[in-house]
Amino acid sequence: MSLSLLPFTRAAGAALLLAACARSATVVSTPSLQRDARVGLKAGLYNAGEAISNLELMATTKSPPGFEGVTNSDLAFSGKYAIQGNYNGFNVWDMSNPRRPTLVKSYLCPASQSDVSVYKNLLFVSAEGLGGRLDCGTQGVRDTVSSERIRGLRIFDATDIANPKYIGNVQTCRGSHTHTVVEDPKDKDNVYIYISGSSGVRSPRELPGCVNANPDNDPNSSLFRIEVIQVPLARPQDARMVNSARIFEGLTAPERHADIMTAEDSARMAARARTQPARAPRPAPMRGGGPTQCHDITVYPSIGLAGGACGGYGLLLDISDVKNPIRIDAAADSNFAFWHSATFSNDGSKILFTDEWGGGSAPRCRATDKPEWGANAIFSIVNRKLKFHSYYKIPAPQTNVENCVAHNGSLIPIPGRDIMVQGWYQGGISIFDWSNPDKPVEIAYHDRGPVSDSTLISGGSWSVYWYNGTIVSSEIARGLDMFDMKPSQFVTQNEIDAAKTVRYTEFNAQGQPKISWPPSFALARAYVDQLERNKCLSALRIVAVRSALANAERANPSSRQGTLNQLSSELSGEAAGSCDANRMRLLSNAIKDLSTVS
């Protein structure tokens, strides 16, 4: 076992050597053909077989005309609305009733991959494909150099979300495959966007200033950097690039595993490429072979850190100075083919990176595929350094006509635990507990059979997020899925109820908010359930605490406060003698907080 971690240095061109080696496989999920209901599901677009565990599928809604049959991409949320990207633009859904989401607006404006984000009244959309037009026309752009092309960031005023207004854009040299909204607590006049664009560099004849050269030959190179966009809130149409952060300095080519690519795989991927919007070819490796861009950058402003998933590396970034992100650590792993996205634990002590082996268009969850490949890698963060713990991959093998690999997801705000929901393309969605970074375990799932039983046709969950009590999945081929989490031996109703007390006004895929729970009886009971599960409070005491909470809930406000204060004080005194003293204190504090609002 070997771990490749690289400290940051500001010394330009410093020769930092990296020996990336495969880690011994600490994988808890072993695909089994015998015992999983996801194996052998019937194929079909809208009538595929389904398997579901500890979830309820509340609704599946087809994409509207003009968008159906075109790839759905990522999601953002604002108020009661889900905004779903699509290679033809975006759709706005009212999810007030998650069992019947209603279409509010379809905005036709092609440009792959149309990832979306929101900030207050603003909506941002990524554009990278060569056919995207400034005027949102559907005829594409035929010239190799054209003033009609958009590659970068579109900006909309979504004050009236049913009638968003296209107010401007920022052109970038490599387009915007994805982007990240970052709020700077020290700057209330602007919001910032990190651009991740991995295509080739545009001609300077199309966008002056673009330089497709090794930085050793031209310090103004458009490679080996991320763009930082400043958006003035008073005049968002004046958004502009304010920095080119050189966060890849000194990274060398990481060691990677040899891909398993059959002739069938090659033919399939070539056929799929022909159906996708044209994008500029990625540049040839240069300057040591390290990454020249990130795929996703997940920011966690409340702890001043970001996780950069950047091709051959996972990066830990200091974003305390939002305009000038700085790399503080990097990890490589020869089991990883393409570092794609990142998620922090709520306390910021851990980070999970995903590997999009095969680029999302290949079958990479077959029984013959290594469980460490195309998986998640879980790290702890110790003294601002990354320490590897384990891998997680869905335990159900998929067929060779299902694109499947780790992709996008979010935390589910169950207090005291790190639980995440994640999309795996045609591997469906998986919910797993990674509270113990050495032993992640799946606790719920949903999966459909392949779109076709003879040909790999792209489909499945592009991304899935928990938003205000509902699990929302962007299905590439089938539309929008809405799920409700059900209690099981892994999660109690009290834990789910506590999670549903957490409310957001908006949510973006690459922006992680600090989760806090308002005082509630559900929160206190969730901690009691967890102490019962881990046997760190005696059975008799569990009964007594539950009885005291029930009595307090029924009591009038004055006696309730006294009961809760006494219970909180007792539990605080018992914490030191428990095998889970921290959770006892969380319970005590939750009851104390509850007394102040009762």
Side-chain angles (χ1 to χ4, degrees):
M1 187 173 84
S2 175
L3 178 65
S4 301
L5 302 176
L6 192 65
F8 173 69
T9 174
R10 287 177 179 276
L16 299 177
L17 301 178
L18 187 75
C21 301
R23 302 180 179 94
S24 59
T26 310
V27 187
V28 298
S29 304
T30 302
S32 168
L33 290 169
Q34 306 300 323
R35 54 184 167 80
D36 199 296
R38 287 168 282 190
V39 175
L41 293 172
K42 180 174 75 74
L45 180 56
Y46 295 118
N47 62 344
E50 297 187 36
I52 193 165
S53 175
N54 301 328
L55 290 169
E56 177 193 1
L57 176 58
M58 295 189 289
T60 297
T61 309
K62 292 182 182 179
S63 298
F67 294 82
E68 187 177 9
V70 180
T71 299
N72 289 313
S73 57
D74 220 333
L75 293 162
F77 301 89
S78 178
K80 62 182 181 180
Y81 301 105
I83 302 152
Q84 184 179 30
N86 179 285
Y87 278 26
N88 265 0
F90 59 88
N91 291 296
V92 180
W93 302 92
D94 183 336
M95 49 180 286
S96 301
N97 180 357
R99 296 183 181 278
R100 184 173 292 181
T102 57
L103 184 66
V104 174
K105 179 69 178 180
S106 289
Y107 199 105
L108 184 63
C109 190
S112 65
Q113 56 185 12
S114 298
D115 278 1
V116 289
S117 290
V118 294
Y119 183 77
K120 297 182 178 177
N121 67 315
L122 299 176
L123 168 65
F124 305 102
V125 183
S126 280
E128 186 182 50
L130 294 177
R133 296 179 59 86
L134 284 166
D135 62 5
C136 290
T138 59
Q139 65 271 44
V141 180
R142 302 186 65 175
D143 294 337
T144 55
V145 174
S146 173
S147 60
E148 297 174 331
R149 179 174 287 123
I150 167 75
R151 290 179 63 203
L153 190 73
R154 298 187 197 270
I155 303 173
F156 293 83
D157 182 340
T159 302
D160 177 3
I161 203 162
N163 295 288
K165 297 177 181 176
Y166 185 15
I167 58 174
N169 59 73
V170 179
Q171 299 268 15
T172 60
C173 290
R174 300 181 66 184
S176 174
H177 192 64
T178 70
H179 65 268
T180 308
V181 175
V182 198
E183 188 175 31
D184 185 346
K186 300 185 289 289
D187 183 355
K188 299 299 183 184
D189 295 329
N190 301 285
V191 66
Y192 292 86
I193 312 285
Y194 295 158
I195 298 292
S196 297
S198 53
S199 283
V201 178
R202 302 166 78 160
S203 166
R205 292 183 293 131
E206 182 169 285
L207 185 63
C210 293
V211 177
N212 186 19
N214 192 314
D216 292 335
N217 299 326
D218 189 330
N220 297 315
S221 172
S222 304
L223 302 169
F224 298 96
R225 72 183 194 187
I226 62 170
E227 288 92 0
V228 181
I229 306 296
Q230 182 187 65
V231 183
L233 298 179
R235 289 186 56 81
Q237 62 271 30
D238 294 339
R240 62 189 179 91
M241 189 171 75
V242 294
N243 190 21
S244 299
R246 299 283 184 188
I247 62 173
F248 307 109
E249 291 288 339
L251 292 176
T252 56
E255 188 174 326
R256 301 184 185 186
H257 59 75
D259 207 351
I260 302 171
M261 187 71 74
T262 65
E264 182 185 17
D265 291 335
S266 299
R268 183 189 305 116
M269 294 183 73
R272 173 173 163 73
R274 288 193 292 272
T275 68
Q276 297 300 305
R279 65 197 297 254
R282 293 179 178 177
M286 55 177 68
R287 202 184 199 189
T292 67
Q293 253 292 0
C294 291
H295 188 280
D296 280 6
I297 300 173
T298 297
V299 294
Y300 198 173
S302 67
I303 61 172
L305 296 177
C310 307
Y313 284 87
L315 307 184
L316 191 62
L317 305 174
D318 183 331
I319 58 166
S320 53
D321 180 356
V322 169
K323 283 187 287 189
N324 298 286
I326 296 173
R327 190 180 85 234
I328 54 178
D329 202 16
D333 181 351
S334 62
N335 281 323
F336 263 39
F338 189 75
W339 297 66
H340 177 276
S341 53
T343 302
F344 288 92
S345 61
N346 190 50
D347 66 0
S349 67
K350 301 190 289 286
I351 186 170
L352 176 152
F353 288 100
T354 70
D355 173 22
E356 197 185 35
W357 172 35
S361 62
R364 291 293 182 258
C365 302
R366 299 162 296 191
T368 53
D369 292 325
K370 290 190 174 184
E372 306 95 316
W373 296 9
N376 301 324
I378 300 172
F379 294 78
S380 58
I381 301 173
V382 181
N383 297 322
R384 291 160 67 89
K385 300 294 181 185
L386 298 167
K387 178 184 177 184
F388 171 75
H389 285 266
S390 67
Y391 301 102
Y392 173 78
K393 190 172 185 178
I394 56 170
Q398 305 291 304
T399 68
N400 64 356
V401 290
E402 291 174 284
N403 52 312
C404 178
V405 74
H407 212 229
N408 297 343
S410 73
L411 296 182
I412 295 177
I414 290 177
R417 302 173 68 182
D418 298 314
I419 291 181
M420 179 170 172
V421 60
Q422 183 179 22
W424 290 77
Y425 293 112
Q426 290 200 71
I429 69 171
S430 176
I431 298 178
F432 58 98
D433 184 343
W434 54 299
S435 304
N436 181 344
D438 295 315
K439 294 182 178 179
V441 59
E442 185 175 59
I443 62 177
Y445 64 78
H446 172 261
D447 189 18
R448 293 186 175 94
V451 175
S452 165
D453 61 5
S454 59
T455 304
L456 195 160
I457 298 174
S458 183
S461 179
W462 178 288
S463 57
V464 58
Y465 305 103
W466 172 283
Y467 182 70
N468 293 345
T470 300
I471 295 171
V472 186
S473 174
S474 179
E475 226 286 356
I476 290 172
R478 298 169 172 111
L480 190 73
D481 287 331
M482 314 289 273
F483 295 91
D484 191 25
M485 195 169 186
K486 310 304 290 184
S488 67
Q489 70 268 38
F490 304 109
V491 178
T492 68
Q493 187 64 57
N494 290 322
E495 290 176 300
I496 296 170
D497 290 344
K500 290 185 176 181
T501 65
V502 177
R503 311 295 291 182
Y504 302 123
T505 57
E506 61 187 35
F507 182 85
N508 293 315
Q510 296 183 42
Q512 197 162 328
K514 179 77 172 178
I515 300 169
S516 58
W517 291 263
S520 71
F521 280 97
L523 177 62
R525 289 178 173 125
Y527 289 133
V528 175
D529 292 349
Q530 292 168 8
L531 287 163
E532 182 179 46
R533 184 183 295 121
N534 65 16
K535 297 181 171 56
C536 286
L537 195 61
S538 72
L540 286 176
R541 190 62 175 133
I542 291 284
V543 171
V545 172
R546 284 177 173 155
S547 177
L549 288 171
N551 290 336
E553 192 170 25
R554 288 192 295 266
N556 61 52
S558 59
S559 59
R560 178 185 300 161
Q561 188 175 46
T563 301
L564 293 174
N565 277 329
Q566 179 180 344
L567 181 59
S568 172
S569 178
E570 291 172 358
L571 291 166
S572 177
E574 298 166 22
S578 169
C579 59
D580 192 347
N582 182 59
R583 204 172 309 271
M584 286 286 287
R585 294 188 185 97
L586 289 172
L587 172 59
S588 173
N589 292 336
I591 294 173
K592 184 177 181 180
D593 292 342
L594 188 57
S595 74
T596 65
V597 298
S598 297

